[in-house]
Amino acid sequence: MSFQEEFMRRAIACSCENIKLGGGPFGAVIVKDGKIVAEGANKVTINNDPTAHAEVMAIRNAAKNLNDFNLSGCEIYTSCEPCPMCLSAIYWARIDKIWYANTKTDAKNIGFDDSFIYDEVKLPLEERAIPITQLLREEGLQAFKQWEQKEDKTEY
């Protein structure tokens, strides 16, 4: 058995254990230097948090455990192909590689269908299902100007 299979089996085990706890059937682990540094499972219904997907929970735990928001050098093993939110979080965290077991079609087949989000992102703003309107841009730019001038900022 390869070490990649071992890590994936742990992600799958997290997904199965989470079902027993009342959560969704998704689990993830983050690995650095050949060791698991964090685990996560879907806590959307448990925490009443729509962002508490397994990958996001694992990223939060890894950042805390490693005391760093930059997870370069890490890989994520997830029981299912990441949804658009999780995929974005993985990119923001700068994780080096994604390993997954189930596909987004497998998830769709059991009621977890993210295809509408993939479709929405492709649309022009004015054609999206949720109305989106710009407001007070000039005032909003003040924070950006402050950030731009800040000398001791932590870039990310």
Side-chain angles (χ1 to χ4, degrees):
M1 171 173 65
S2 72
F3 63 92
Q4 289 96 351
E5 290 173 341
E6 180 181 326
F7 297 139
M8 184 58 74
R9 284 193 176 100
R10 181 60 201 144
I12 293 167
C14 287
S15 68
C16 293
E17 291 165 8
N18 197 53
I19 294 168
K20 295 174 189 169
L21 298 173
F26 304 96
V29 299
I30 295 180
V31 174
K32 185 170 187 170
D33 300 325
K35 295 181 181 156
I36 293 175
V37 295
E39 296 183 349
N42 183 290
K43 303 293 184 194
V44 170
T45 57
I46 293 171
N47 293 356
N48 290 317
D49 179 353
T51 68
H53 289 201
E55 297 90 338
V56 171
M57 298 300 288
I59 288 168
R60 290 173 183 168
N61 292 332
K64 182 179 179 183
N65 293 344
L66 297 173
N67 196 33
D68 199 340
F69 61 85
N70 184 336
L71 300 182
S72 296
C74 293
E75 296 184 349
I76 189 166
Y77 292 77
T78 179
S79 65
C80 188
E81 183 178 356
C83 75
M85 177 185 68
C86 292
L87 185 60
S88 296
I90 290 165
Y91 274 94
W92 278 115
R94 298 181 183 93
I95 291 174
D96 293 352
K97 185 168 175 104
I98 302 166
W99 300 82
Y100 69 95
N102 298 314
T103 67
K104 61 184 176 185
T105 302
D106 296 330
K108 179 180 179 178
N109 290 340
I110 63 163
F112 295 93
D113 186 3
D114 298 324
S115 59
F116 73 97
I117 298 172
Y118 289 103
D119 294 340
E120 281 286 304
V121 170
K122 295 177 201 171
L123 294 174
L125 296 179
E126 63 276 2
E127 293 180 25
R128 293 187 181 168
I130 298 175
I132 182 168
T133 304
Q134 187 174 24
L135 185 64
L136 298 176
R137 179 173 182 257
E138 290 304 316
E139 290 181 36
L141 284 173
Q142 292 306 308
F144 284 10
K145 289 175 185 173
Q146 288 176 29
W147 176 258
E148 203 171 36
Q149 295 168 1
K150 185 173 172 56
E151 292 183 18
D152 63 342
K153 61 187 167 203
T154 302
E155 301 271 353
Y156 62 98

